[in-house]
């Protein structure tokens, strides 16, 4: 069995490499030539822990290759994993242009039976559209099946998540498709849940929206903590001890970002609208999340009053630690707001600076990229913690106090113990606690 992976972004590249690691023969392809050239050279175009080693290993052992040519990838494969992006359109809906385009190309190159597996996050009912498109553009009567196998990888631990999954959801409508997917995931036989396709598609959107709701819930509680003497960290700990609630995804802070949660919440609101189901609950989730930035900016103003020409260090630019991804990162919204106020920004991130330079090019003195957190904090009027990279938790607070113009830290991720920081003579603000 040969597996083709169409689209080698964060999801596709990890999927291709890890399917090869599961002993399958895999071909990856992408419209961006450079991504394929880099992959063939054993160099992922993204930073994801463990990925480079496995890419090199599977290329060398001959299970994995990459083609520039989509038509040839389709013809040479028995199973096709569709991992192209489904970006958010201005109205919040998912843009299905790439999925439709790939479906057409599959139709035109249908030389033998193919199983087409949607891996990208797609609205419920997408598989029905894929089937219709293939039937419209096909040139012969070769049979095919469509299946849904949503991905649940978290960036920063995607390889680990793929190779040690909690669950494998398989949405199928034929016994043959189920058999093939069970064979692909044979190593995780006890983790497989087989459903119909609509159910599988919805499991993905429902899971991500539920997790986003958990985050917004604790962030709303955090707003209330700030008006009282309550401490959101302890509220979350107390809630999380109830196994029905669980401790995960109750970290208050700057809110959720990334390529999934913001987009999936909005997509589900729209799917609901189209189907006549009111998802007002998720509209609130989105609203609470957007408000986090405003609340954070107000803390900076509370500390510095006027921000014009104040030197402000931003520590952490990626939307979460252990990734270079800045899609929907809270840092972008924070930078935009601070620029409006005329602040001078000093940026540092262990992995995401190259990506950020494309959005905000360096321009002295307004916006400068630094080589270390200390360089960013040197002479600054305030330091902001935007992403909870372990490197920041390990910083030397005495040194920070000495090098800053005004030793003020505004911690959007609650990485420090307030007493510890204040003991060093640093003025400290955090989220949902005194
Ligand atoms: C998420 C899902 O977890 C994954 O299953 C799906 O396949 C893709 O979307 P990812 O976006 O990589 O993964 O990151 P995740 O660790 O889930 O965090 C998402 C966002 O929520 C981040 O911005 C993170 O900072 C934020 N978050 C997470 C919080 O603000 N508080 C929390 O308690 C947890």
């Amino acid at each position: 069995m040969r597996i083709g992976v169409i689209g080698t972004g964060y999801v596709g590249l990890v999927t291709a490499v890890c399917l090869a690691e599961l002993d399958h023969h895999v071909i990856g392809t992408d419209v961006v030539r450079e991504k394929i050239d880099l992959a063939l050279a054993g160099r992922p175009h993204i930073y994801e822990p463990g990925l480079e080693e496995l890419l090199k290993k599977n290329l060398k052992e001959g299970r994995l290759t990459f083609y520039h040519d989509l038509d040839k990838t389709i013809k040479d494969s028995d199973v096709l994993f569709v991992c192209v992006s489904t970006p958010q359109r201005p109205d919040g809906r998912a843009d299905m242009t790439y999925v439709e385009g790939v479906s057409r190309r599959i139709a035109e190159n249908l030389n033998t039976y193919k199983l087409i597996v949607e891996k990208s996050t797609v609205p419920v009912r997408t598989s029905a559209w894929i089937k219709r498109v293939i039937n419209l553009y096909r040139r012969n009567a070769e049979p095919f099946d469509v299946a849904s196998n949503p991905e649940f990888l978290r960036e920063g631990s995607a390889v680990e998540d793929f190779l040690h999954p909690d669950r494998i959801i398989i949405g199928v409508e034929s016994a043959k498709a189920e058999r093939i997917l069970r064979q692909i995931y044979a190593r995780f036989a006890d983790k497989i849940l087989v459903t119909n396709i609509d159910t599988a598609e919805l499991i993905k959107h429902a899971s991500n929206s539920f997790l986003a709701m958990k985050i917004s819930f604790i962030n709303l509680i955090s707003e209330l903590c700030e008006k009282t003497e309550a401490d959101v960290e302890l509220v979350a700990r107390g809630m999380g001890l109830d196994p029905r609630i669980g401790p995960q995804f109750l970290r208050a802070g700057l809110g959720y970002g990334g390529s999934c949660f913001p987009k999936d919440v909005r997509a589900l609101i729209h799917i609901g609208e189209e189907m006549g189901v009111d998802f007002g609950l998720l509209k609130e989730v989105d609203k609470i999340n957007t408000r986090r930035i405003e609340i954070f900016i107000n803390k900076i103003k509370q500390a510095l009053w006027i921000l014009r020409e104040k030197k402000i260090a931003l520590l952490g630019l990626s939307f979460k630690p252990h990734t270079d991804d800045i899609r929907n990162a809270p840092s972008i919204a924070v930078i935009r707001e601070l620029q409006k106020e005329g602040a001078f920004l000093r940026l540092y991130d262990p992995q995401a600076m190259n990506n950020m330079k494309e959005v905000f090019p360096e321009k002295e003195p307004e916006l400068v990229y630094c080589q270390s957190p200390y360089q960013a904090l040197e002479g600054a009027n305030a330091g902001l913690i935007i992403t909870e990279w372990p490197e920041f938790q390990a910083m030397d607070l005495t040194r920070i106090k000495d090098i800053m113009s005004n030793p003020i830290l505004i911690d959007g991720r609650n990485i420090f113990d307030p007493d510890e920081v204040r003991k060093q003579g640093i003025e400290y603000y955090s989220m949902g606690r005194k």
Side-chain angles (χ1 to χ4, degrees):
M1 181 165 50
R2 277 224 158 177
I3 302 176
V5 175
I6 304 174
T8 57
Y10 281 91
V11 173
L13 189 58
V14 172
T15 300
V17 168
C18 291
L19 285 173
E21 182 65 16
L22 294 180
D23 268 344
H24 299 301
H25 284 274
V26 181
I27 309 163
T29 189
D30 200 286
V31 283
V32 182
R33 278 196 78 80
E34 201 199 349
K35 288 188 189 172
I36 297 303
D37 292 337
L38 283 169
L40 281 169
R43 286 165 45 214
H45 67 281
I46 49 165
Y47 170 72
E48 191 59 50
L51 186 61
E52 185 163 345
E53 293 86 316
L54 288 190
L55 170 63
K56 288 198 162 85
K57 175 180 166 213
N58 284 283
L59 283 169
K60 191 162 153 236
E61 292 173 2
R63 283 185 299 272
L64 177 63
T65 189
F66 293 88
Y67 291 174
H68 288 106
D69 185 346
L70 173 59
D71 295 339
K72 188 167 157 52
T73 306
I74 296 169
K75 286 192 182 120
D76 286 1
S77 304
D78 308 296
V79 182
L80 290 160
F81 278 81
V82 180
C83 302
V84 295
S85 59
T86 51
Q88 188 184 307
R89 299 194 329 182
D91 65 0
R93 251 173 268 254
D95 182 344
M96 303 304 288
T97 311
Y98 302 126
V99 174
E100 197 262 359
V102 164
S103 308
R104 251 182 354 205
R105 291 284 281 280
I106 294 173
E108 288 159 6
N109 291 285
L110 205 61
N111 56 339
T112 52
Y113 168 85
K114 313 265 176 223
L115 171 60
I116 299 130
V117 186
E118 315 160 347
K119 195 95 182 130
S120 312
T121 304
V122 293
V124 59
R125 301 298 300 153
T126 296
S127 81
W129 275 109
I130 295 178
K131 263 195 331 208
R132 175 163 167 76
V133 169
I134 296 180
N135 279 322
L136 274 178
Y137 295 95
R138 59 198 285 157
R139 292 167 182 164
N140 57 37
E142 288 297 339
F144 71 93
D145 273 309
V146 177
S148 164
N149 169 223
E151 61 83 22
F152 297 101
L153 311 176
R154 288 164 303 170
E155 285 181 30
S157 56
V159 171
E160 186 62 25
D161 289 350
F162 194 104
L163 297 173
H164 302 97
D166 301 323
R167 80 273 215 209
I168 306 273
I169 305 291
I170 289 175
V172 285
E173 52 188 14
S174 85
K176 184 170 182 179
E178 178 179 341
R179 201 173 57 243
I180 295 171
L181 281 162
R182 280 192 184 276
Q183 199 182 332
I184 291 174
Y185 291 116
R187 204 179 291 183
F188 312 122
D190 58 330
K191 299 281 164 69
I192 294 176
L193 173 67
V194 179
T195 68
N196 67 22
I197 298 183
D198 281 5
T199 306
E201 288 170 342
L202 201 48
I203 286 173
K204 173 68 197 251
H205 264 138
S207 301
N208 277 357
S209 299
F210 188 85
L211 291 171
M213 182 179 75
K214 240 181 140 180
I215 298 169
S216 276
F217 185 85
I218 198 67
N219 278 332
L220 186 60
I221 295 294
S222 154
E223 287 183 37
L224 189 55
C225 289
E226 293 189 358
K227 312 275 182 210
T228 65
E229 290 302 310
D231 176 326
V232 76
E233 294 291 315
L234 292 174
V235 173
R237 200 185 311 162
M239 287 170 65
L241 287 171
D242 182 336
R244 292 171 302 175
I245 298 174
Q248 293 191 54
F249 281 71
L250 286 180
R251 270 183 292 113
L254 277 159
Y256 57 80
S259 64
C260 286
F261 286 1
K263 178 167 78 97
D264 291 356
V265 166
R266 289 178 191 156
L268 194 49
I269 292 170
H270 276 276
I271 296 165
E273 261 163 27
E274 276 167 21
M275 309 265 172
V277 181
D278 182 358
F279 269 102
L281 172 69
L282 292 184
K283 287 186 187 157
E284 275 309 311
V285 167
D286 189 20
K287 226 162 79 186
I288 294 165
N289 197 55
T290 308
R291 202 155 64 219
R292 301 311 290 163
I293 304 297
E294 192 185 312
I295 289 172
F296 188 64
I297 298 286
N298 281 341
K299 285 179 196 285
I300 310 172
K301 288 185 180 162
Q302 198 187 328
L304 294 179
W305 190 18
I306 300 299
L307 305 185
R308 177 149 218 92
E309 296 186 6
K310 295 284 163 56
K311 273 195 192 171
I312 300 181
L314 279 82
L315 306 188
L317 302 173
S318 55
F319 83 97
K320 61 183 260 189
H322 310 291
T323 176
D324 61 353
D325 195 350
I326 56 163
R327 285 175 291 174
N328 289 308
S331 61
I332 297 179
V334 171
I335 292 171
R336 292 221 163 95
E337 288 303 315
L338 294 178
Q339 281 188 327
K340 272 192 226 155
E341 299 286 335
F344 289 168
L345 307 180
R346 304 174 59 75
L347 276 43
Y348 172 75
D349 187 281
Q351 291 292 340
M353 291 204 286
N354 283 341
N355 285 338
M356 200 52 110
K357 280 177 188 168
E358 289 182 16
V359 184
F360 299 106
E362 182 142 23
K363 182 169 175 251
E364 284 207 59
E366 286 91 341
L367 192 137
V368 179
Y369 289 89
C370 301
Q371 291 315 307
S372 73
Y374 297 108
Q375 195 191 347
L377 289 165
E378 195 155 354
N381 301 103
L384 315 180
I385 310 289
I386 310 280
T387 314
E388 64 279 31
W389 283 94
E391 182 180 343
F392 304 147
Q393 246 151 338
M395 287 188 306
D396 176 351
L397 293 171
T398 329
R399 188 169 162 198
I400 290 179
K401 156 108 186 358
D402 291 343
I403 60 175
M404 291 184 75
S405 254
N406 307 112
I408 301 175
L409 286 181
I410 302 153
D411 181 355
R413 299 290 180 184
N414 290 356
I415 66 169
F416 292 118
D417 172 348
D419 293 339
E420 282 295 308
V421 186
R422 290 186 186 124
K423 232 178 14 209
Q424 303 297 331
I426 297 174
E427 197 174 311
Y428 182 67
Y429 301 79
S430 57
M431 310 300 272
R433 54 187 193 165
K434 292 281 153 7

Short mmCIF file of all heavy atoms in Angstrom, two decimals, residues 151-155 204 208 211 215 249-251 255-261 319-320 388 413, ligand 1:
data_model
loop_
_atom_site.label_atom_id
_atom_site.label_comp_id
_atom_site.label_asym_id
_atom_site.label_seq_id
_atom_site.Cartn_x
_atom_site.Cartn_y
_atom_site.Cartn_z
N GLU A 151 -7.20 15.07 12.57
CA GLU A 151 -5.96 15.04 13.35
C GLU A 151 -6.16 15.78 14.66
O GLU A 151 -6.88 16.76 14.72
CB GLU A 151 -4.80 15.61 12.54
CG GLU A 151 -4.96 17.06 12.09
CD GLU A 151 -4.56 18.04 13.14
OE1 GLU A 151 -3.80 17.65 14.03
OE2 GLU A 151 -5.03 19.20 13.10
N PHE A 152 -5.49 15.29 15.72
CA PHE A 152 -5.60 15.94 17.02
C PHE A 152 -4.22 16.35 17.53
O PHE A 152 -3.98 16.43 18.73
CB PHE A 152 -6.28 15.00 18.03
CG PHE A 152 -7.69 14.64 17.65
CD1 PHE A 152 -7.99 13.44 17.06
CD2 PHE A 152 -8.72 15.56 17.86
CE1 PHE A 152 -9.29 13.12 16.69
CE2 PHE A 152 -10.03 15.25 17.49
CZ PHE A 152 -10.32 14.03 16.90
N LEU A 153 -3.30 16.57 16.59
CA LEU A 153 -1.92 16.89 16.98
C LEU A 153 -1.84 18.28 17.57
O LEU A 153 -2.45 19.21 17.06
CB LEU A 153 -1.01 16.85 15.74
CG LEU A 153 -1.12 15.62 14.85
CD1 LEU A 153 -0.22 15.79 13.64
CD2 LEU A 153 -0.75 14.39 15.64
N ARG A 154 -1.06 18.38 18.64
CA ARG A 154 -0.78 19.71 19.19
C ARG A 154 0.57 20.15 18.68
O ARG A 154 1.53 19.37 18.72
CB ARG A 154 -0.72 19.66 20.73
CG ARG A 154 -2.05 19.46 21.40
CD ARG A 154 -1.84 19.03 22.83
NE ARG A 154 -1.03 17.81 22.90
CZ ARG A 154 -0.52 17.31 24.01
NH1 ARG A 154 -0.71 17.92 25.15
NH2 ARG A 154 0.19 16.19 23.99
N GLU A 155 0.66 21.37 18.23
CA GLU A 155 1.96 21.86 17.78
C GLU A 155 2.90 21.87 18.98
O GLU A 155 2.50 22.15 20.10
CB GLU A 155 1.82 23.26 17.19
CG GLU A 155 1.19 23.18 15.81
CD GLU A 155 1.05 24.54 15.17
OE1 GLU A 155 1.86 25.43 15.45
OE2 GLU A 155 0.12 24.69 14.37
N LYS A 204 -14.02 16.52 15.53
CA LYS A 204 -12.89 17.45 15.52
C LYS A 204 -13.31 18.86 15.92
O LYS A 204 -12.74 19.47 16.82
CB LYS A 204 -12.26 17.44 14.12
CG LYS A 204 -11.18 18.48 13.91
CD LYS A 204 -9.94 18.17 14.74
CE LYS A 204 -9.04 19.37 14.85
NZ LYS A 204 -7.83 19.32 14.13
N ASN A 208 -12.25 20.74 19.59
CA ASN A 208 -11.49 21.99 19.67
C ASN A 208 -12.33 23.12 20.27
O ASN A 208 -11.83 23.91 21.07
CB ASN A 208 -10.97 22.39 18.29
CG ASN A 208 -9.67 21.66 17.97
OD1 ASN A 208 -9.15 20.91 18.79
ND2 ASN A 208 -9.14 21.87 16.79
N LEU A 211 -12.53 22.67 24.06
CA LEU A 211 -11.29 23.07 24.75
C LEU A 211 -11.17 24.60 24.79
O LEU A 211 -10.77 25.18 25.79
CB LEU A 211 -10.07 22.44 24.07
CG LEU A 211 -9.97 20.92 24.23
CD1 LEU A 211 -8.86 20.36 23.35
CD2 LEU A 211 -9.71 20.54 25.69
N ILE A 215 -10.95 27.21 28.08
CA ILE A 215 -9.99 28.31 28.27
C ILE A 215 -10.72 29.63 28.50
O ILE A 215 -10.40 30.38 29.42
CB ILE A 215 -9.04 28.42 27.06
CG1 ILE A 215 -8.22 27.14 26.89
CG2 ILE A 215 -8.11 29.63 27.19
CD1 ILE A 215 -7.45 27.04 25.58
N PHE A 249 -6.24 22.58 30.41
CA PHE A 249 -6.89 23.68 29.68
C PHE A 249 -7.64 24.62 30.59
O PHE A 249 -8.67 25.16 30.25
CB PHE A 249 -7.75 23.15 28.52
CG PHE A 249 -6.89 22.79 27.35
CD1 PHE A 249 -6.06 21.68 27.41
CD2 PHE A 249 -6.83 23.60 26.22
CE1 PHE A 249 -5.19 21.38 26.37
CE2 PHE A 249 -5.97 23.31 25.18
CZ PHE A 249 -5.15 22.19 25.26
N LEU A 250 -7.10 24.80 31.78
CA LEU A 250 -7.66 25.78 32.72
C LEU A 250 -6.59 26.81 33.08
O LEU A 250 -6.60 27.36 34.17
CB LEU A 250 -8.16 25.07 33.99
CG LEU A 250 -9.45 24.26 33.85
CD1 LEU A 250 -9.82 23.61 35.17
CD2 LEU A 250 -10.62 25.14 33.36
N ARG A 251 -5.67 27.05 32.14
CA ARG A 251 -4.67 28.06 32.41
C ARG A 251 -5.16 29.41 31.90
O ARG A 251 -5.37 29.59 30.70
CB ARG A 251 -3.33 27.70 31.74
CG ARG A 251 -2.43 26.87 32.65
CD ARG A 251 -1.09 26.59 32.01
NE ARG A 251 -1.23 25.69 30.87
CZ ARG A 251 -1.01 26.05 29.61
NH1 ARG A 251 -0.63 27.27 29.30
NH2 ARG A 251 -1.16 25.17 28.64
N GLY A 255 -5.19 34.09 26.47
CA GLY A 255 -6.20 33.48 25.61
C GLY A 255 -5.58 32.54 24.59
O GLY A 255 -4.37 32.46 24.45
N TYR A 256 -6.46 31.86 23.86
CA TYR A 256 -5.97 30.89 22.88
C TYR A 256 -5.66 31.54 21.54
O TYR A 256 -6.31 32.49 21.14
CB TYR A 256 -6.96 29.73 22.69
CG TYR A 256 -8.36 30.16 22.28
CD1 TYR A 256 -8.65 30.48 20.95
CD2 TYR A 256 -9.39 30.26 23.21
CE1 TYR A 256 -9.93 30.87 20.57
CE2 TYR A 256 -10.66 30.65 22.84
CZ TYR A 256 -10.93 30.95 21.51
OH TYR A 256 -12.18 31.34 21.15
N GLY A 257 -4.63 30.99 20.87
CA GLY A 257 -4.30 31.43 19.52
C GLY A 257 -4.06 30.20 18.69
O GLY A 257 -4.59 29.12 18.98
N GLY A 258 -3.23 30.34 17.65
CA GLY A 258 -2.87 29.17 16.84
C GLY A 258 -3.74 29.00 15.62
O GLY A 258 -4.64 29.80 15.34
N SER A 259 -3.47 27.91 14.92
CA SER A 259 -4.14 27.72 13.63
C SER A 259 -5.47 27.00 13.79
O SER A 259 -6.22 26.89 12.84
CB SER A 259 -3.24 26.89 12.72
OG SER A 259 -3.08 25.61 13.28
N CYS A 260 -5.76 26.51 15.00
CA CYS A 260 -6.98 25.70 15.14
C CYS A 260 -8.10 26.37 15.93
O CYS A 260 -9.19 26.60 15.39
CB CYS A 260 -6.63 24.37 15.80
SG CYS A 260 -5.77 23.26 14.69
N PHE A 261 -7.85 26.67 17.20
CA PHE A 261 -8.96 27.08 18.06
C PHE A 261 -9.73 28.30 17.53
O PHE A 261 -10.95 28.24 17.40
CB PHE A 261 -8.48 27.34 19.50
CG PHE A 261 -8.16 26.09 20.28
CD1 PHE A 261 -8.27 24.84 19.70
CD2 PHE A 261 -7.75 26.16 21.60
CE1 PHE A 261 -7.97 23.69 20.41
CE2 PHE A 261 -7.44 25.02 22.33
CZ PHE A 261 -7.56 23.79 21.73
N PHE A 319 2.59 31.36 19.24
CA PHE A 319 1.28 31.33 19.93
C PHE A 319 1.30 30.44 21.16
O PHE A 319 0.44 30.54 22.02
CB PHE A 319 0.16 30.92 18.96
CG PHE A 319 0.00 29.45 18.74
CD1 PHE A 319 -0.96 28.73 19.46
CD2 PHE A 319 0.78 28.79 17.82
CE1 PHE A 319 -1.13 27.37 19.25
CE2 PHE A 319 0.62 27.42 17.62
CZ PHE A 319 -0.33 26.71 18.33
N LYS A 320 2.31 29.55 21.24
CA LYS A 320 2.52 28.73 22.44
C LYS A 320 3.98 28.30 22.42
O LYS A 320 4.65 28.46 21.39
CB LYS A 320 1.57 27.52 22.44
CG LYS A 320 1.78 26.59 21.26
CD LYS A 320 0.79 25.47 21.24
CE LYS A 320 1.39 24.21 21.80
NZ LYS A 320 0.53 23.04 21.62
N GLU A 388 4.78 31.23 27.33
CA GLU A 388 5.42 30.62 28.50
C GLU A 388 6.55 29.65 28.12
O GLU A 388 6.53 28.48 28.50
CB GLU A 388 4.38 29.97 29.41
CG GLU A 388 3.60 28.79 28.85
CD GLU A 388 2.43 29.14 27.96
OE1 GLU A 388 2.46 30.17 27.26
OE2 GLU A 388 1.48 28.33 27.92
N ARG A 413 1.09 35.09 31.23
CA ARG A 413 0.93 33.63 31.32
C ARG A 413 1.12 33.08 32.74
O ARG A 413 1.23 31.87 32.91
CB ARG A 413 1.91 32.93 30.38
CG ARG A 413 1.73 33.27 28.91
CD ARG A 413 0.47 32.68 28.34
NE ARG A 413 0.30 33.00 26.94
CZ ARG A 413 -0.75 32.66 26.22
NH1 ARG A 413 -1.76 32.01 26.77
NH2 ARG A 413 -0.86 33.00 24.96
C1 LIG B 1 -5.00 22.31 19.30
C2 LIG B 1 -5.58 21.00 19.86
O1 LIG B 1 -5.08 20.81 21.19
C3 LIG B 1 -5.21 19.83 18.97
O2 LIG B 1 -5.82 18.63 19.45
C4 LIG B 1 -5.69 20.13 17.54
O3 LIG B 1 -5.35 19.11 16.68
C5 LIG B 1 -5.11 21.44 17.05
O4 LIG B 1 -5.45 22.48 17.96
P1 LIG B 1 -2.63 23.52 19.27
O5 LIG B 1 -3.36 24.65 18.62
O6 LIG B 1 -1.34 23.05 18.69
O7 LIG B 1 -3.58 22.22 19.33
O8 LIG B 1 -2.29 23.94 20.78
P2 LIG B 1 -2.91 23.74 22.24
O9 LIG B 1 -1.85 23.24 23.13
O10 LIG B 1 -4.18 23.01 22.23
O11 LIG B 1 -3.17 25.27 22.65
C6 LIG B 1 -4.05 26.10 21.91
C7 LIG B 1 -4.06 27.49 22.48
O12 LIG B 1 -4.70 27.55 23.73
C8 LIG B 1 -2.67 28.10 22.71
O13 LIG B 1 -2.70 29.45 22.28
C9 LIG B 1 -2.48 28.03 24.20
O14 LIG B 1 -1.63 29.05 24.68
C10 LIG B 1 -3.90 28.23 24.68
N1 LIG B 1 -4.16 27.64 26.00
C11 LIG B 1 -4.10 26.29 26.18
C12 LIG B 1 -4.50 28.46 27.07
O15 LIG B 1 -4.58 29.70 26.94
N2 LIG B 1 -4.80 27.90 28.27
C13 LIG B 1 -4.76 26.55 28.48
O16 LIG B 1 -5.05 26.12 29.60
C14 LIG B 1 -4.38 25.73 27.39
#
